Amino acid sequence: MVETGAQPRVSPLRRQVSRLGRALTTPLLPDDYFALIKPRWSTRELTGRVVKVRPETGNATTVVVQPDYPMSPHRPGQYLRIGMEINGIRHWRAYSITSDPEHPQGVLSITVKYTEGGRMSPVFCRQVQPGQRVFLGDVEGEFTLPDPVPAKSLFVSAGSGITPIMAMLRELDRRDALEDAVHVHSCRDEDDMIFGAMLRELAQRRPGYRLVEVHTTKVPRFQPTDLDEHCADWREREAFLSGPREMIDAVEAHYDEAALAERLHTERFQPVIGNGGGEGEGGNVHFRVSDCEAECEAGMSILVGGENAGAKLPFGCRMGICHTCVGRLQDGAVRDLRTGAVETASGQMIRTCINAPEGHIEIDL
Amino acid sequence: MPKRPAKPYDPDNPLWKLSDEQLEQLGKELDALHDEIFGDLGERDAQYIRKMIKFQRRLAATSRAVLLFSKFKPAWVVGTAGLSIAKILENMEIGHNVMHGQWDWMNDPTIHSSTWDWDTASPAAAWKHSHNYVHHTFTNVIGKDKDVGYEIMRIDARQQWHWPYLFQPLYNVLLMAAFEWGVALHDLDFDAIRAGTKDRKQLRDELKGIGKKVRMQVLKDYVSYPALAAVPFGKEGFKATLAADAIANVVRNVWSHAIIFCGHFPDQTFMFTEEEVADESRGAWYVRQLIGAANIDGRPLFHIMSGNLSFQVEHHLYPDMPSSRYQEIAPRVREICERYGLPYNTGPLRKQWGTVQRTILRLAFPGGGPRRKPGPYVAPPEEKAARERQKELVPAFP
């Protein structure tokens, strides 16, 4: 299957009516006919439309989206998968949500930095107009403010990594909780800083928020060792980190060295899994459509096992996010390689990239 | 490479006339044509399939609405005709092609081979195995491709004759009317069941799948809509709608049966034995697809109504290419055929269908042999002139 938007939240009554309506529309859903009148009447996947596009400093653009169905509230720092059709092909990207939670009109915003040669960011930054239809995933991500909020905090960001931090700072500001926060942000120069004006204004208004800007055109790039200079008491603060991969790695290593790893919060992506060498008993897989038998050792995903056996299987992120690789399990039990949970899931759609067979399984792929 | 048989069954088979080098070159040329079209897919193609789906659904919904009044003759006629056309479009230009993955490049989960199901008795997963995989990989290989005679008919003289084949003209007529049911059962793979090689659990699941699909299909066509028409018009409304739905299904069955039988069984096409295709190269695979399929001549509307399976040759070369592109690449395929001395099988529906029926009648009885083949393709003067004009249009620099 391909990457799909979230299931809209609709009333159980509506779901029931839709189910019964299949007696007239099978193999389609009544929704597929409603969509002929208005596309957003379909509840197959969550859609929305762009209502406003606002240029930001630092070559970025904030895109405000009105979802067609109410979404579950997000926590500042979380992200959203957003899909758009470009030249007939749907593309997906994940962006941090930059709007405040529980907006009265239910709108959401993301802030996109223009990337030369990128596929989606140039469209968001240069072409998109209000009215553009977009597809929306679920709100996701573990990079959020803890509850209660820490008394002393440190935010470290670079480039477009500022977007989730911005959402957190706005939340703290809204809750009058910006009592003692230091923010070290690294970017090329003053004009290159996304939300620069807003954050400078915030620093003036809130004495508890201190902004340190590191401009790489003037001074060397930010190094974790610079923390002593920018924020002498960094060891005593809960730290929130967002930026390019290399910076995250460097800061993580620095915190590990100081034995302060539990103080550091960052978006943790799944480690690479599925190549074997894990728990469970493994098993063999019969791919019914490809007509192929595969042997999976313990810890090897159905996807990797199938590929080793020569089957051509669909895949995307290979870490359980995008659902490109799903197939219907017809028989048997599978183990979720991320959690270790084993489940007998006959008849369900499962992701082959993060599930391993537990004994013999039959799958419609 | 397949060993060239010392004494080929059909001495005219062009596969044995090409050298290994020619086959390799041909494979590269056909791969390049595929990649060229896939590099060009975009908005125009996406619009085509979306509009087609929208039109088909509107037609289906309108026809169903008209059929609520099917008690009245004119409404019955209009509604039945509309529903028949809607079902044909849904099965052929839309369902068959979407389930082939022709539109998967759009990344649209609602128009995707992994999620699509069609308005017939055959469940999607089973069909994707028996058709997409078995038939399109082992096309026209006797014993491997279960579509050669659909396990109930003798279509090639090399299939051993048994007395039940005497009745194959009858099976054929029954299959015409009940094609969707035939396809649903065909997916089960009777040969494997008989040989005991089919997994029992899989067979049970597949039967359950067919049962579920059939229940919903029957509920819709033969219970729900007739019952709706019975609300205002009572028993007469019920009966008229029931008849209309049944006839629309039969019209679709007869039509798709005709188009599909014309795809591989006209006299022009070649069948192969397993020995002939052992260790086949990419180029030889293309040749087998090319000479194992036959097109049907027609106008654009006819091509759409046949799901572009009137371009069966192009479809078999590139099963994953959007059907709307087949017509466009046909002249290029013909040009390749001409250069390699290969036939390009095509003919009017009457002729293609006629030779299929003749074969079914003849091979009901023992014996039979290869039919005369058309020989290498030679472009008519108009086509040659068009090619020249095209050359002038295309800039001669890379």
Side-chain angles (χ1 to χ4, degrees):
Chain A
M1 204 161 91
V2 276
E3 190 161 358
T4 308
Q7 265 291 299
R9 294 189 305 162
V10 296
S11 67
L13 180 71
R14 174 151 186 192
R15 283 256 172 262
Q16 196 59 27
V17 169
S18 178
R19 222 174 61 86
L20 293 175
R22 284 181 54 222
L24 296 172
T25 60
T26 186
L28 298 173
L29 299 176
D31 278 2
D32 296 318
Y33 287 95
F34 297 151
L36 294 176
I37 307 166
K38 263 200 170 100
R40 67 188 158 90
W41 285 357
S42 170
T43 59
R44 269 193 187 266
E45 57 181 333
L46 187 59
T47 51
R49 91 205 117 77
V50 172
V51 288
K52 205 169 146 189
V53 181
R54 189 180 61 215
E56 302 281 355
T57 46
N59 222 351
T61 301
T62 293
V63 179
V64 184
V65 172
Q66 175 81 63
D68 291 326
Y69 291 87
M71 293 186 66
S72 47
H74 69 273
R75 284 173 292 151
Q78 288 190 300
Y79 63 88
L80 175 75
R81 286 186 301 115
I82 184 160
M84 187 170 42
E85 264 151 27
I86 303 169
N87 189 25
I89 302 173
R90 194 194 290 191
H91 298 276
W92 288 91
R93 290 286 184 282
Y95 292 107
S96 293
I97 302 169
T98 47
S99 52
D100 294 334
E102 287 159 65
H103 189 279
Q105 272 101 51
V107 296
L108 281 174
S109 74
I110 55 164
T111 302
V112 180
K113 187 174 170 69
Y114 180 89
T115 320
E116 194 68 52
R119 174 100 62 188
M120 267 181 106
S121 71
V123 179
F124 274 128
C125 294
R126 302 281 146 91
Q127 290 168 26
V128 105
Q129 295 290 326
Q132 167 75 42
R133 199 164 122 89
V134 291
F135 304 88
L136 303 169
D138 274 316
V139 167
E140 289 168 271
E142 296 305 317
F143 183 49
T144 55
L145 289 167
D147 188 36
V149 293
K152 286 157 79 74
S153 52
L154 166 66
F155 296 91
V156 180
S157 58
S160 59
I162 199 166
T163 50
I165 303 267
M166 180 70 190
M168 291 177 177
L169 290 171
R170 274 167 58 151
E171 172 73 2
L172 291 172
D173 181 32
R174 226 160 53 112
R175 285 159 61 172
D176 273 333
L178 262 182
E179 271 156 22
D180 186 358
V182 179
H183 181 188
V184 181
H185 178 73
S186 172
C187 56
R188 224 175 26 243
D189 54 39
E190 205 180 314
D191 296 332
D192 184 45
M193 182 174 174
I194 307 172
F195 304 123
M198 271 188 260
L199 287 171
R200 283 169 208 133
E201 184 270 332
L202 183 68
Q204 289 210 327
R205 188 159 52 79
R206 290 278 186 192
Y209 170 68
R210 182 159 69 84
L211 175 65
V212 181
E213 294 183 40
V214 179
H215 295 148
T216 55
T217 43
K218 293 186 208 119
V219 296
R221 262 175 53 188
F222 170 80
Q223 298 294 324
T225 43
D226 300 343
L227 278 177
D228 293 316
E229 174 200 336
H230 299 311
C231 178
D233 60 350
W234 63 273
R235 287 179 177 82
E236 291 153 38
R237 294 172 177 269
E238 288 295 310
F240 299 86
L241 171 67
S242 171
R245 189 78 241 175
E246 315 86 73
M247 185 182 94
I248 291 185
D249 288 345
V251 176
E252 270 186 337
H254 193 60
Y255 270 74
D256 279 343
E257 234 168 79
L260 289 168
E262 74 282 0
R263 288 243 141 156
L264 185 66
H265 305 261
T266 185
E267 191 59 75
R268 282 184 205 282
F269 290 99
Q270 291 293 336
V272 178
I273 51 168
N275 291 318
E279 288 174 10
E281 50 174 285
N284 72 318
V285 187
H286 179 210
F287 294 93
R288 285 185 175 176
V289 176
S290 323
D291 202 10
C292 167
E293 291 274 350
E295 202 60 54
C296 294
E297 58 175 271
M300 181 182 283
S301 68
I302 300 168
L303 176 63
V304 172
E307 286 173 341
N308 290 348
K312 272 184 132 182
L313 301 170
F315 66 87
C317 66
R318 302 185 83 103
M319 53 189 191
I321 294 173
C322 74
H323 291 249
T324 304
C325 63
V326 300
R328 193 174 296 284
L329 184 69
Q330 285 295 0
D331 192 32
V334 291
R335 173 186 290 270
D336 187 326
L337 290 170
R338 301 168 306 172
T339 61
V342 175
E343 130 177 78
T344 311
S346 284
Q348 283 184 36
M349 299 296 272
I350 57 157
R351 283 167 279 180
T352 59
C353 70
I354 51 152
N355 280 295
E358 197 77 354
H360 178 78
I361 66 164
E362 298 271 325
I363 191 162
D364 276 344
L365 269 177
Chain B
M1 271 311 299
K3 280 188 217 71
R4 280 155 217 284
K7 190 170 171 293
Y9 171 73
D10 190 332
D12 292 334
N13 191 330
L15 180 56
W16 314 127
K17 295 180 179 165
L18 292 172
S19 70
D20 291 356
E21 293 71 35
Q22 279 177 308
L23 285 176
E24 196 189 329
Q25 192 51 39
L26 175 70
K28 280 190 189 146
E29 277 198 52
L30 287 168
D31 279 345
L33 179 55
H34 176 271
D35 295 348
E36 182 191 321
I37 299 295
F38 269 71
D40 186 48
L41 294 178
E43 189 62 34
R44 167 168 75 102
D45 304 270
Q47 288 289 341
Y48 171 79
I49 192 65
R50 293 211 164 105
K51 279 191 181 147
M52 177 59 66
I53 290 172
K54 236 187 226 170
F55 170 76
Q56 186 276 331
R57 287 180 186 171
R58 287 195 172 133
L59 179 63
T62 312
S63 307
R64 297 281 191 187
V66 171
L67 282 177
L68 290 178
F69 305 91
S70 56
K71 190 190 129 184
F72 308 104
K73 240 321 163 15
W76 189 91
V77 172
V78 170
T80 309
L83 188 59
S84 304
I85 294 169
K87 278 181 179 271
I88 286 171
L89 287 174
E90 196 273 350
N91 274 200
M92 304 187 78
E93 180 63 348
I94 303 172
H96 168 270
N97 294 338
V98 170
M99 280 158 61
H100 255 294
Q102 293 182 1
W103 304 97
D104 284 5
W105 56 271
M106 287 163 59
N107 270 337
D108 182 337
T110 59
I111 309 178
H112 199 273
S113 62
S114 63
T115 56
W116 196 270
D117 199 0
W118 54 355
D119 182 21
T120 80
S122 161
W127 182 84
K128 278 188 277 189
H129 172 72
S130 72
H131 180 87
N132 279 10
Y133 173 67
V134 178
H135 168 60
H136 273 274
T137 313
F138 305 113
T139 313
N140 287 21
V141 179
I142 300 160
K144 286 276 236 181
D145 179 2
K146 310 284 179 205
D147 285 18
V148 176
Y150 295 94
E151 300 174 291
I152 53 167
M153 284 185 259
R154 188 164 168 257
I155 284 292
D156 187 275
R158 282 167 289 180
Q159 289 171 285
Q160 209 193 341
W161 183 84
H162 299 289
W163 65 266
Y165 287 131
L166 280 173
F167 304 102
Q168 74 179 19
L170 178 67
Y171 311 151
N172 187 38
V173 174
L174 293 176
L175 187 61
M176 271 181 208
F179 193 56
E180 60 172 318
W181 306 93
V183 173
L185 295 176
H186 174 60
D187 296 335
L188 292 172
D189 192 353
F190 282 113
D191 283 348
I193 296 170
R194 241 173 300 168
T197 52
K198 177 117 180 173
D199 181 63
R200 303 270 304 248
K201 164 83 176 120
Q202 180 171 349
L203 177 59
R204 222 175 23 245
D205 290 343
E206 285 181 11
L207 283 171
K208 249 193 267 171
I210 295 173
K212 203 170 134 200
K213 189 81 201 278
V214 166
R215 265 202 309 282
M216 288 304 286
Q217 289 293 112
V218 168
L219 174 67
K220 175 183 67 175
D221 280 341
Y222 303 128
V223 181
S224 304
Y225 282 106
L228 272 186
V231 174
F233 302 112
K235 217 172 168 183
E236 278 182 71
F238 188 95
K239 276 203 252 171
T241 305
L242 183 84
D245 290 357
I247 287 185
N249 277 327
V250 170
V251 168
R252 184 269 323 274
N253 287 347
V254 170
W255 178 253
S256 49
H257 172 278
I259 296 297
I260 287 157
F261 270 56
C262 289
H264 296 290
F265 310 148
D267 285 356
Q268 300 162 342
T269 61
F270 289 85
M271 295 278 168
F272 299 82
T273 61
E274 283 186 54
E275 299 78 59
E276 284 174 329
V277 300
D279 305 315
E280 184 180 57
S281 67
R282 179 86 183 140
W285 183 88
Y286 272 128
V287 173
R288 174 156 60 85
Q289 303 300 327
L290 192 83
I291 64 180
N295 286 359
I296 312 169
D297 299 333
R299 293 172 175 281
L301 187 62
F302 171 77
H303 294 311
I304 289 173
M305 289 306 287
S306 69
N308 276 302
L309 290 181
S310 45
F311 291 104
Q312 188 78 238
V313 169
E314 286 75 11
H315 174 57
H316 261 270
L317 292 175
Y318 309 122
D320 63 343
M321 184 182 287
S323 56
S324 51
R325 295 284 191 143
Y326 291 154
Q327 184 154 20
E328 184 184 316
I329 63 164
R332 312 257 311 258
V333 173
R334 285 199 291 271
E335 191 268 329
I336 291 174
C337 286
E338 191 167 21
R339 257 190 296 123
Y340 286 85
L342 293 166
Y344 182 81
N345 299 332
T346 187
L349 181 61
R350 244 174 315 109
K351 182 182 147 214
Q352 304 296 70
W353 194 81
T355 60
V356 172
Q357 304 312 315
R358 188 175 62 188
T359 299
I360 291 172
L361 286 173
R362 170 62 190 91
L363 295 181
F365 301 98
R371 289 276 180 190
R372 256 176 57 90
K373 305 295 181 193
Y377 178 73
V378 181
E382 316 87 79
E383 187 163 316
K384 284 203 170 120
R387 248 183 242 161
E388 288 306 314
R389 278 200 302 280
Q390 193 66 26
K391 265 187 208 152
E392 281 161 27
L393 287 177
V394 177
F397 51 84

